[in-house]
Amino acid sequence: MYKQEAFKENLIDWFDENQRQMPWRETSDPYAIWVSEVMLQQTQVDTVRDYYKRFMDRFPHIMSLAEAQEDEVLKYWEGLGYYSRARNFHIAAKEVVNHYGGVIPKDPQQFKALKGVGPYTQAAVLSIAFDTPLPTVDGNVFRVWSRLNNDRLDTALPQTRKTYELQLKPYVKMHSGTFNQAMMELGALICTPKAPLCLFCPVQVHCEAYHEGTVLELPVKTKKMKKASLDMDVYIIQGDSGDYLIEKRQERLLNGMWQFPLFNKSDGIDTVKKRLGNSFKIERENIYRLKHQFTHMTWNLKVHIATLSNDDLKQLPNQYRLMSLDEKQALTFPVPMTKIFNAIQ
């Protein structure tokens, strides 16, 4: 193990000179920092910037978020994906208002008990906002730390996170927020997955993998199982007024978001008619095709034009409604449905 003080000093000196300018680094407001950390999970920095600004303009403090309707919160999240993040954050904001008077708790256990707050979010927000001595371990830190120590623990295992958190604790006794951000920034800019810039690394002298020539072998991570692939049919149905039939999703994935009527290919026409009405009829098949990748599955979408009688349209359950073109901007659609809407327009 390398000298702790020298490593930390080298790393922070580099970070002070080379860190990227980001709006959430220009504030000490724990709410603003929390917003950024939730958005940055599974999402690239460049993608988050514009969303962050729009979200903060509309919900500048935790009270404004807690008082908002879920549909509006999701609308401001539209396109970022992983919508459970937005729902959980919205619930957590209400918990802060209801239980802590709108003040984000500094206590690690109280903060971690909020909806959607896991070990990484807990450590990132509290260390950056309050200098709480908690180490963050995300994908960047897994990579940096495994290479620094030439460590071959499987980073896909929960136990490895706990091991790394324990090893990193001495480094966050002081200036924890700066250290955590510096580790993540090093992983993002220098210690990258496929082409690390070892010659420019500020902590190269401390890196055991660099000296052993094993940098590209690390971190060790077992491969995930192959994604499920679903063949889906999307039906574009318009009423007499030209409005589009849409439905509000009831499934866990993308729950509460709007979509054109969507069915598994295996359901068959009888299932479609049972749900929509016996007058259902396909007029034009395969007008558009789209493949959309989620973290754990792939949707293979085929889009068809269909018709439905006015009587059947009126008898549909509450999750269905007709949408005018003017209403589209006020409703939240998942990315594949927005692509389909743009295509048919």
Side-chain angles (χ1 to χ4, degrees), residues 32-306:
I33 294 168
W34 191 4
V35 171
S36 72
E37 290 300 336
V38 175
M39 286 189 170
L40 286 165
Q41 293 170 22
Q42 306 291 332
T43 309
Q44 296 293 321
V45 168
D46 289 341
T47 302
V48 166
R49 290 179 189 272
D50 289 341
Y51 281 94
Y52 177 83
K53 184 181 186 305
R54 287 196 296 270
F55 196 89
M56 291 300 297
D57 286 345
R58 172 59 187 88
F59 310 110
H61 45 71
I62 201 161
M63 186 69 73
S64 60
L65 178 61
E67 292 175 346
Q69 296 296 312
E70 181 182 282
D71 284 347
E72 185 181 14
V73 175
L74 290 176
K75 185 63 183 176
Y76 276 82
W77 205 271
E78 187 177 26
L80 267 179
Y82 303 94
Y83 292 93
S84 61
R85 296 179 297 172
R87 291 192 185 89
N88 290 340
F89 188 37
H90 188 210
I91 294 170
K94 294 179 180 180
E95 292 174 345
V96 171
V97 170
N98 293 334
H99 300 307
Y100 302 106
V103 179
I104 294 172
K106 294 183 180 181
D107 179 85
Q109 295 311 309
Q110 290 179 339
F111 185 70
K112 190 177 180 182
L114 297 172
K115 183 71 172 178
V117 176
Y120 169 78
T121 302
Q122 176 200 38
V125 174
L126 296 187
S127 67
I128 296 170
F130 304 121
D131 204 28
T132 306
L134 293 171
T136 58
V137 180
D138 69 346
N140 285 317
V141 175
F142 270 128
R143 186 168 59 255
V144 169
W145 197 243
S146 66
R147 287 172 174 174
L148 283 166
N149 294 287
N150 200 26
D151 186 289
R152 292 187 174 276
L153 290 177
D154 184 354
T155 58
L157 300 178
Q159 185 58 42
T160 301
R161 173 185 290 277
K162 295 178 181 179
T163 299
Y164 282 15
E165 287 174 344
L166 186 63
Q167 292 174 351
L168 284 162
K169 274 191 174 182
Y171 298 87
V172 294
K173 290 180 179 178
M174 295 179 63
H175 310 299
S176 59
T178 303
F179 176 81
N180 284 334
Q181 290 182 88
M183 285 285 285
M184 291 185 283
E185 195 79 334
L186 185 69
L189 299 182
I190 301 294
C191 198
T192 53
K194 294 183 179 180
L197 304 176
C198 295
L199 294 180
F200 301 96
C201 180
V203 292
Q204 179 202 102
V205 66
H206 307 286
C207 183
E208 294 182 18
Y210 176 77
H211 295 298
E212 294 295 327
T214 57
V215 171
L216 294 180
E217 300 173 16
L218 299 168
V220 173
K221 186 175 183 179
T222 53
K223 293 184 178 180
K224 295 181 180 179
M225 294 180 63
K226 187 177 181 180
K227 291 182 181 180
S229 183
L230 295 179
D231 294 330
M232 314 284 279
D233 287 316
V234 181
Y235 296 108
I236 308 300
I237 301 171
Q238 290 180 278
D240 289 342
S241 62
D243 295 347
Y244 292 95
L245 180 65
I246 58 174
E247 63 176 325
K248 200 166 194 176
R249 285 185 62 82
Q250 310 297 305
E251 295 85 348
R252 182 176 179 181
L253 176 65
L254 306 175
N255 182 266
M257 301 185 74
W258 292 94
Q259 64 185 17
F260 298 109
L262 178 69
F263 292 83
N264 287 330
K265 184 71 175 178
S266 59
D267 288 340
I269 294 298
D270 289 342
T271 300
V272 179
K273 287 186 174 183
K274 184 176 180 181
R275 191 188 304 179
L276 297 182
N278 286 325
S279 66
F280 174 85
K281 182 180 180 182
I282 298 176
E283 296 290 342
R284 293 171 56 197
E285 292 187 302
N286 298 333
I287 66 165
Y288 184 66
R289 294 188 182 191
L290 176 68
K291 177 182 286 189
H292 186 78
Q293 303 275 0
F294 294 99
T295 304
H296 58 294
M297 71 170 64
T298 299
W299 278 2
N300 300 306
L301 302 171
K302 290 183 179 179
V303 183
H304 318 285
I305 299 292

Side-chain angles (χ1 to χ4, degrees), residues 292-341:
H292 186 78
Q293 303 275 0
F294 294 99
T295 304
H296 58 294
M297 71 170 64
T298 299
W299 278 2
N300 300 306
L301 302 171
K302 290 183 179 179
V303 183
H304 318 285
I305 299 292
T307 57
L308 199 64
S309 71
N310 286 333
D311 287 342
D312 280 340
L313 283 170
K314 292 175 182 177
Q315 295 178 30
L316 290 172
N318 291 335
Q319 70 262 30
Y320 290 92
R321 59 165 289 187
L322 288 171
M323 176 197 71
S324 68
L325 292 178
D326 292 339
E327 292 178 296
K328 169 66 172 63
Q329 294 305 316
L331 300 175
T332 307
F333 287 78
V335 169
M337 292 297 155
T338 297
K339 289 181 178 178
I340 290 170
F341 178 84

Side-chain angles (χ1 to χ4, degrees), residues 20-38:
R20 291 169 291 178
Q21 296 301 309
M22 302 175 187
W24 47 88
R25 285 181 176 166
E26 298 170 3
T27 178
S28 59
D29 177 8
Y31 168 71
I33 294 168
W34 191 4
V35 171
S36 72
E37 290 300 336
V38 175

